[in-house]
Amino acid sequence: MGRKVTVAVSTLNQWALDFQGNLSRILQSIVEAKEMGATYRTGPELEICGYSCEDHFLEPDTFLHSWEVLLELITSTFCQNILVDVGMPIQHRNVSYNCRVVFFNRKILLIRPKMQNCDDGCYRETRWFSMWKKAYTTEDFYLPRMISAVTGQQTVPIGDAVIATKDTCIGYEICEELWNPKSTHIDMSLSGVEIIVNSSGSYMQLRKAYVTTDLIRNATYKAGGAYLFSNLRGCDGQRVYFNGCSAVALNGEIIARGKQFSLQEVEITLATIDLEDIRSYRMALRSRSVLAASAPTYLRINVDFEMSSHNCMSIPTSVPLQWKYHSPEEEIALGPACWLWDYLRRSGQGGFFLPLSGGVDSSSTAAIVHSMCRLVVNSIEHGDIQVVHDVRKILGDPEYTPDNPHALCNRLLVTCYMGSENSSAETKQRASVLADQLGSYHLDINIDGAVSALIGVFTFVTGMTPKFRTEGGCPRQNLALQNIQARIRMVLAYLFAQLMLWVRNRPGGLLVLGSANVDEALRGYMTKYDCSSADINPIGGISKADLRKFLLYVRHQFNLPIIDEIVTAPPTAELEPLVSGQLAQTDEQDMGMTYAELSEYGRLRKQAYCGPFSMFCKLVATWGNACTPGEVAEKVKHFFRCYAINRHKMTVLTPSYHAESYSPDDNRFDHRPFLYRANWSWQFKAIDEELERILAHNVQNPNIPSSNPEQSRDSNQSTKQNISRKSSHRDSKHDSSTSLDNKHRSSHTKLNVNVMGKIRDRSGIPVDMLQKSTQNI
């Protein structure tokens, strides 16, 4: 007994539109699979052209070059006597499909189109591809002449069918079909398909690696069988990092799995399966057998090939394994580092330039670059010739072989502390020590001269000199003086990035790295076109809380003692004058909210799809032990107000590594307007009416225990009085400017005016003053 088959799933680091490179990596995967004894090889989604071609999928060239690559594969001697499927776009009857093409010994057996496209998260597949909606049905596909001339075939079947070899049956799903609530792997299993193959382009998000594994396991647990999952890995030209983790499952257990993070361009994950194990497992599931007896029948494409060997008794089968998932801190250390490496080696640049402030964010970016250097050295130590070639190309040194991460970091990363009269000695010292411990080439410059020069131009033209608020200046002056420092740092960053390799007698330039985290982007707590405006940003999708945990992790992993000081220091932009040599400005005080609160707002806004009213209702319950309902209302309004007036900054947000599922990235992930009605009048009215109901209910039921014992007895009454008092004040102050009819004037309107009076837009003018001239628009 026993029919053992050896199958190979490929993890490839492809690059959109790199047809030559993609072909080479596909061929290498097939060669390695055959050498390892596999009789079947599968690969990732759209591996021929690359997944992230986007609107290039609307170009005929993309389809033409994909067919040309397929022709090279079909005619290659490396692809003989092994069953292969590859991914590419195909047009059938003037409709574009995302397809798998199955071939064997210079014959195309089946073109299997994707039956469920993905349009959530960063995916927009229906913009370019249609879904095959004809279940259990195939049609004739007329092959291009260049393919027909080689295969001798005029037509091949395209559609929902399976492949039948002499010893087993193989069916297909493509990426989203595994995630879909009505996955076809159940119907295929009931129809006798024993091996189900899924090619995927699944990207990484923090804390999500287990999802794919659970789906693969469960796909085979209920109905038995083998499931082959092949995924892309790396940056193929977009913000996402494809997750790797190609795997093979059998009867509810993972029996083989590839790495999640690696610089390796081609990785083969092999598994040997006894087909009899599938059959006995399925026969023991009696309810499954009853369903299978009446299951729909798939068209079977027969191929004269036997995947198992007659002399396989001594071949061991793959056994279940336990997979240890990376912690979020490890994911941050590895994922962005691999993404940076792909971007650097494919950009043609010579390294990175990073403004290093000595704070959590820029220190995290620097640590990620150092992690990249460690991965490079480790890959070279394990014999990865491609990485050696890439390092030498980047550095312009054909003889260099890195053997020390610190030395490599010194050649790839230039850090620069851009201090001013508002900078503290502590941050300067922390930046210098961290650079030394990481190994970066570090600079220390002062920007006061540049700031004074620009302010001098303004004073010369206008005859007026702006002042900080501590010197008697108004909010507009204070904000302008902060912003000019931040924007000068951006200009200087690009100057140094373009010339530092010239200074160091090397060709090329440096990529400028940004270091604004996802929470700051959500809140808009950044200056437009400041040093957050960079070429790429490895931490732009990561929260402040996760970055702190990441730094504590690398403090021990990378031996960086200075991290202790960096993590415990209060976050500050250091853009306002020091008071007696001490900080007078902190980020959380400036923002009017904590980073922990920001993360909560972000998850509710994006993941739970909450508008202002829904968010208020949820937070009243979850924050009840710390805040009164009135305080929750103020916090929610403050967040949405800040979100609205700063949303425009997302249109110029530095391309960032995608990691957090509540990212506000406007370019691909978070498609929302960038111009809002900033007072959210209707939404805030709903909050105020609900707040009044809560207060009235609590007054009528005084024996109900307070959710906040320290503020219990009269908190509700004081909140009502506070609202009323503020409303009356605003009424008397702004009656002449309001555009609302008297019959619509109510406490919610007055409260909103009060809240907005506290918040100033980027011009520094209180919002309620601005509304005097805009209410009738």
Side-chain angles (χ1 to χ4, degrees), residues 11 35 97 145 194 308 342 363 372 424 430 433 508 547 589 606 619 626 697 702 710 717 773:
T11 305
E35 289 177 347
Y97 297 99
R145 284 173 291 182
E194 294 177 330
S308 59
D342 281 347
S363 298
M372 182 199 79
S424 65
R430 289 198 294 266
V433 173
L547 289 175
Q589 183 180 7
K606 179 66 176 176
L619 290 179
H697 175 75
E710 294 181 1
Q717 187 64 30
S773 60

Side-chain angles (χ1 to χ4, degrees), residues 286-302:
R286 299 314 303 157
S287 60
R288 178 220 166 261
S289 297
V290 172
L291 290 172
S294 59
T297 300
Y298 280 84
L299 173 65
R300 297 195 174 202
I301 310 297
N302 295 306

Side-chain angles (χ1 to χ4, degrees), residues 415-437:
T415 54
C416 182
Y417 182 79
M418 300 182 179
S420 74
E421 61 184 0
N422 303 320
S423 303
S424 65
E426 290 80 7
T427 54
K428 178 179 178 179
Q429 183 264 345
R430 289 198 294 266
S432 177
V433 173
L434 178 64
D436 180 66
Q437 293 178 1

Side-chain angles (χ1 to χ4, degrees), residues 259-270:
K259 294 186 286 291
Q260 182 177 8
F261 303 110
S262 174
L263 305 187
Q264 189 177 351
E265 288 200 323
V266 177
E267 181 188 19
I268 297 299
T269 302
L270 208 70

Side-chain angles (χ1 to χ4, degrees), residues 356 366 370 404-407 409-410 413 415 428-443 558-562 566:
L356 184 63
H370 181 80
N404 182 287
H406 291 77
C409 189
N410 185 265
L413 176 63
T415 54
K428 178 179 178 179
Q429 183 264 345
R430 289 198 294 266
S432 177
V433 173
L434 178 64
D436 180 66
Q437 293 178 1
L438 293 174
S440 68
Y441 186 93
H442 189 63
L443 304 171
F558 300 169
N559 189 25
L560 306 172
I562 192 61
I566 293 172

Side-chain angles (χ1 to χ4, degrees), residues 438-452:
L438 293 174
S440 68
Y441 186 93
H442 189 63
L443 304 171
D444 183 351
I445 66 175
N446 188 286
I447 67 170
D448 287 335
V451 173
S452 297

